[in-house]
Amino acid sequence: MAVRKIAETVIDRLKFACASTGLILKRPKAILLFLFCLIFFLYFLTFFRDGSSNWQLIWSGLPFDRKLEVAGRIFPAMLENFCSFYGITIILLSLLQSIIIMHLVFAWRHRERASALDGASTSGIGAVLGFIALGCPSCGIGLLTPLLSAIAGSAAVALAEGLGYVFTVLAFALLIYSFVKLGYTNYVTILAAKQK
Amino acid sequence: MQKAIRIGALVLVVGFLVTLVVFNAINPAGPDMDTWNAAMSKGDKDTAKHHFVMYTDIFCPYCDKFSDAVAANLEDFEQHYIKDENVLFEIRVTDINYVNGHSNNSKPAGIAAYCAAREGNFWDYYYALLAQIFEDYHSKGIGVDKTSPKIPDLEKSFFYHVAKDIDGLDYEKMKSCINNEETLSELDTNTRKAQSKINGGVPRFVFDKYTADGFYGNWNTDNDYKQVKLLMDAGLTTK
């Protein structure tokens, strides 16, 4: 019974969070912020999608114009994300993160600073988890693998495979939690402003 | 007391950095031209100015993207990098994905690769095997990344059937070598050696002083060859 009540509350709050997202997105500045964050996160996650090779190219001895080529090749690759389930995961992570940042800024500007800070820390952890869970741990090129290699040596690859999935799920859970919490707070704020 | 600890920590850090600098100064890391299996390299070992090493597993899709792109542009690659830039290009085949429990196919594929090397026709076999894997699986979205369906466990016959149409490769010898796992010890030894040199996985590229992990591609050989060239040029320009 209690579980059912909690589930109903969560679903209600999720609905309010979605409603407040729609309301905030009616503001041109919010749309701009959302689009900027979406492109930024999509670019960033796509850059590291297949390991750290792009990062290593940027720090190599390549001339500046070739480094620009490395950076520029990410833009068409961002669209390729729509063609695979793995790419869709990247798009969903970017979308969630962008919506949360939009909510964070809204909450901050409407003096809901405690909620904004709470949301920032939770979504921050979610974003980091999502980021390090990227790559292909089975091939050892995930960002998690080198990190674990330092601790667990050659066992890291096997460990990274499982942990990669756990981190992805955790990342989504934390981001959705932040979205629901911030979105609900902002819905109440918008409603209160309307009543005034 | 606190001051003493801080000074001690500072001395330790500075000492460590100085030791690193001194160690690097007295051990200049020039390109090491030793190959693990000469048949798995291209270029003139005696006159080469650069050494490119790729640690790979035949059932690692990111490694395959790199090699498929090279195979599709082999003439340009060999002319530009191996002849003009005098690169010793070496592939170190491992079954690291088998060792880590990710693909049972890595082991027979690795054995087959070393069998082909023993028969003196590694390169033709390697590219033919990758082409077969691409045709049967990768082109259909199987085994291309961590969320795609996995390639099923393949019979040994898959690996020796590939040898059938390769000129200069004795089919019967390949069949016997693969069936009897005659090159297993070489594969095991090289996989163990590779484990200590890579950051947990493949592909790892070591090109003179430049190293890179992973390969960024999309299975379009024209697109992926641009990434190959970036990687090769990064190796040539990083001092």
Side-chain angles (χ1 to χ4, degrees):
Chain A
M1 199 65 180
V3 175
R4 197 176 161 184
K5 205 168 180 183
I6 291 169
E8 277 173 5
T9 312
V10 170
I11 289 168
D12 282 345
R13 289 196 173 196
L14 183 64
K15 281 180 195 166
F16 289 133
C18 291
S20 68
T21 306
L23 290 171
I24 296 171
L25 273 175
K26 281 182 180 166
R27 297 155 192 243
K29 275 185 184 174
I31 295 179
L32 275 178
L33 176 68
F34 168 74
L35 287 177
F36 174 79
C37 292
L38 181 64
I39 293 169
F40 172 80
F41 282 111
L42 206 52
Y43 184 92
F44 184 71
L45 293 180
T46 308
F47 189 89
F48 287 99
R49 189 183 65 190
D50 294 340
S52 51
S53 63
N54 282 323
W55 181 250
Q56 286 155 327
L57 282 173
I58 294 289
W59 290 102
S60 71
L62 279 175
F64 184 68
D65 60 324
R66 303 295 307 280
K67 287 182 181 176
L68 278 182
E69 189 187 334
V70 175
R73 283 167 61 79
I74 307 302
F75 288 105
M78 280 159 67
L79 297 174
E80 286 163 14
N81 283 328
F82 289 94
C83 303
S84 69
F85 182 70
Y86 180 45
I88 301 285
T89 312
I90 288 174
I91 292 168
L92 287 177
L93 274 174
S94 311
L95 261 173
L96 263 173
Q97 196 65 41
S98 313
I99 291 172
I100 288 168
I101 287 180
M102 191 183 71
H103 274 291
L104 273 172
V105 171
F106 184 88
W108 187 264
R109 292 186 68 180
H110 288 80
R111 304 192 180 281
E112 288 293 339
R113 297 196 171 169
S115 301
L117 284 174
D118 185 32
S121 57
T122 314
S123 65
I125 296 168
V128 170
L129 285 177
F131 171 64
I132 59 176
L134 283 176
C136 170
S138 61
C139 308
I141 64 162
L143 298 164
L144 187 57
T145 318
L147 223 79
L148 286 174
S149 295
I151 308 161
S154 59
V157 183
L159 199 64
E161 175 90 358
L163 268 183
Y165 291 119
V166 174
F167 278 17
T168 307
V169 173
L170 262 178
F172 272 110
L174 287 173
L175 289 175
I176 290 169
Y177 169 76
S178 296
F179 167 64
V180 171
K181 205 171 174 191
L182 275 169
Y184 178 69
T185 309
N186 286 338
Y187 186 78
V188 173
T189 309
I190 293 168
L191 212 65
K194 269 185 183 175
Q195 280 171 353
K196 269 184 190 172
Chain B
M1 185 63 182
Q2 262 191 345
K3 201 176 174 185
I5 291 172
R6 273 187 208 161
I7 290 169
L10 194 70
V11 168
L12 265 177
V13 171
V14 172
F16 178 69
L17 290 175
V18 169
T19 312
L20 270 182
V21 171
V22 172
F23 181 80
N24 281 320
I26 56 174
N27 292 291
D32 169 13
M33 294 296 173
D34 281 343
T35 52
W36 285 6
N37 185 319
M40 292 180 170
S41 66
K42 282 183 184 199
D44 191 338
K45 189 181 163 182
D46 299 324
T47 60
K49 288 181 184 159
H50 308 278
H51 190 188
F52 176 96
V53 176
M54 175 195 187
Y55 293 92
T56 187
D57 179 307
I58 289 170
F59 279 84
C60 152
Y62 299 87
C63 312
D64 295 353
K65 278 184 214 173
F66 175 90
S67 292
D68 284 346
V70 171
N73 297 277
L74 201 54
E75 209 173 301
D76 179 76
F77 185 84
E78 290 192 339
Q79 181 61 48
H80 187 64
Y81 293 107
I82 294 170
K83 288 185 186 145
D84 296 349
E85 295 289 353
N86 213 351
V87 173
L88 176 64
F89 179 72
E90 184 188 3
I91 287 191
R92 292 178 177 170
V93 175
T94 72
D95 64 348
I96 204 148
N97 281 351
Y98 170 74
V99 173
N100 291 315
H102 299 306
S103 172
N104 288 332
N105 297 318
S106 296
K107 185 180 166 187
I111 289 170
Y114 283 96
C115 286
R118 203 167 71 171
E119 294 302 313
N121 210 338
F122 166 75
W123 291 103
D124 286 343
Y125 179 78
Y126 177 64
Y127 290 135
L129 180 57
L130 293 185
Q132 193 65 54
I133 296 170
F134 181 79
E135 192 184 323
D136 293 353
Y137 301 104
H138 291 152
S139 64
K140 295 167 185 162
I142 302 169
V144 291
D145 60 44
K146 70 174 178 177
T147 55
S148 67
K150 283 195 170 182
I151 297 175
D153 289 353
L154 302 170
E155 298 291 329
K156 283 178 180 172
S157 58
F158 177 89
F159 299 97
Y160 54 75
H161 277 155
V162 172
K164 221 168 196 173
D165 299 323
I166 298 173
D167 289 337
L169 198 54
D170 189 321
Y171 175 72
E172 288 305 324
K173 276 188 183 171
M174 276 296 283
K175 189 175 172 181
S176 153
C177 180
I178 293 168
N179 275 335
N180 299 323
E181 301 187 346
E182 288 169 21
T183 54
L184 179 61
S185 63
E186 187 177 3
L187 173 66
D188 280 347
T189 307
N190 286 347
T191 300
R192 270 199 302 276
K193 268 160 74 178
Q195 277 177 315
S196 62
K197 296 189 183 288
I198 55 184
N199 256 352
V202 285
R204 180 161 174 88
F205 304 97
V206 181
F207 193 170
D208 294 347
K209 289 186 174 176
Y210 177 72
T211 55
D213 300 283
F215 183 72
Y216 196 84
N218 64 358
W219 297 103
N220 173 321
T221 51
D222 288 339
N223 171 73
D224 293 355
Y225 191 58
K226 286 179 189 159
Q227 195 75 9
V228 168
K229 289 178 96 166
L230 281 170
L231 197 139
M232 297 299 292
D233 294 344
L236 289 170
T237 51
T238 304
K239 305 289 175 205

